[in-house]
């Protein structure tokens, strides 16, 4: 499996004024979540250098990020822990983390975000602080359950067994 390391991301493209010390702080923060083994198929950091530039259309592009996906049970019910750095109008960037679980509603929403945090930042220093908080919080979330059903209990969202049960009589 190809592991995509954090160092593949050119931070000076994202934050042009970044000093060497500041870049080192960001790498240290990223290392907190590099410790957890990424799930198969989501092997490390995504990086989209062509999305660094803000477009006038105002679309929110993910510039770089990482996802940890876990599936369990016969239906491969999934839970995912995500971190995304998003280009907003320069010099702003958004740092977002979330925990998402698969959707088993009759209407397909693809996934449901059950917990999230975000930071809108405009300077290297504020980015570093946000990224440090985001990676620390995500690392803590990842130490929790990797079973989607455990998160579904408190949300009242449909579970895969209910969906299967209604359609299992052929
Ligand atoms: Zn749904």
């Amino acid at each position: 499996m190809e592991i995509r390391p954090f160092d593949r991301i050119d931070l000076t493209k994202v934050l042009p004024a970044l000093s060497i010390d500041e870049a080192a702080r960001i790498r240290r923060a990223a290392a907190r979540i590099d410790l957890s083994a990424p799930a198969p198929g989501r092997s490390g950091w995504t990086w989209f250098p062509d999305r660094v530039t803000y477009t006038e259309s105002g679309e929110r592009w993910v510039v770089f990020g990482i996802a940890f996906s876990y599936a369990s049970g016969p239906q491969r019910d999934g839970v995912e822990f995500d971190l995304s750095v998003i280009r907003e109008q320069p010099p702003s960037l958004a740092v977002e983390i979330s925990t998402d679980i698969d959707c088993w509603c009759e209407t397909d929403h693809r996934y449901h975000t059950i917990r999230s945090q975000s930071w809108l930042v405009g300077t290297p220093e504020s980015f570093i602080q946000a990224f440090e908080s985001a990676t620390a919080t995500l690392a803590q979330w990842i130490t929790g359950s990797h079973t989607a059903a455990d998160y579904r209990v408190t949300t009242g969202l449909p579970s895969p067994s209910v969906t299967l049960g209604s359609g299992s009589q052929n």
Side-chain angles (χ1 to χ4, degrees):
M1 180 174 57
E2 182 207 5
I3 299 294
R4 298 178 303 214
F6 187 76
D7 278 349
R8 70 198 295 261
I9 299 163
D10 184 354
L11 289 170
T12 59
K13 276 196 168 183
V14 185
L15 296 155
L18 208 60
S19 72
I20 289 170
D21 282 352
E22 288 170 332
R25 285 173 63 194
I26 293 172
R27 278 198 298 276
R28 275 199 299 277
R32 284 184 183 132
I33 48 176
D34 269 348
L35 297 176
S36 312
R42 306 299 292 270
S43 49
W45 291 89
T46 53
W47 161 231
F48 303 98
D50 54 332
R51 293 187 183 175
V52 169
T53 311
Y54 182 75
T55 57
E56 286 308 316
S57 69
E59 288 214 56
R60 301 175 81 253
W61 295 115
V62 173
V63 178
F64 67 87
I66 194 165
F68 300 86
S69 310
Y70 304 93
S72 54
Q75 290 88 10
R76 309 301 296 155
D77 191 12
V79 57
E80 188 167 291
F81 304 88
D82 277 302
L83 182 151
S84 300
V85 172
I86 296 160
R87 173 87 272 167
E88 302 280 359
Q89 188 155 13
S92 294
L93 291 161
V95 181
E96 297 184 353
I97 54 172
S98 65
T99 303
D100 304 319
I101 55 173
D102 285 357
C103 169
W104 297 93
C105 303
E106 260 178 58
T107 305
D108 187 8
H109 307 104
R110 290 177 53 234
Y111 63 88
H112 289 274
T113 299
I114 56 158
R115 171 170 70 183
S116 66
Q117 253 180 275
S118 66
W119 297 259
L120 185 64
V121 295
T123 64
E125 182 55 36
S126 61
F127 176 85
I128 291 165
Q129 287 179 15
F131 195 69
E132 286 172 340
S133 299
T135 51
T137 304
L138 193 68
Q140 194 199 336
W141 288 356
I142 293 171
T143 63
S145 171
H146 293 170
T147 304
D150 291 344
Y151 299 96
R152 209 176 298 281
V153 168
T154 52
T155 60
L157 289 164
S159 61
S161 57
V162 170
T163 306
L164 273 195
S166 63
S168 62
Q169 304 293 323
N170 293 324

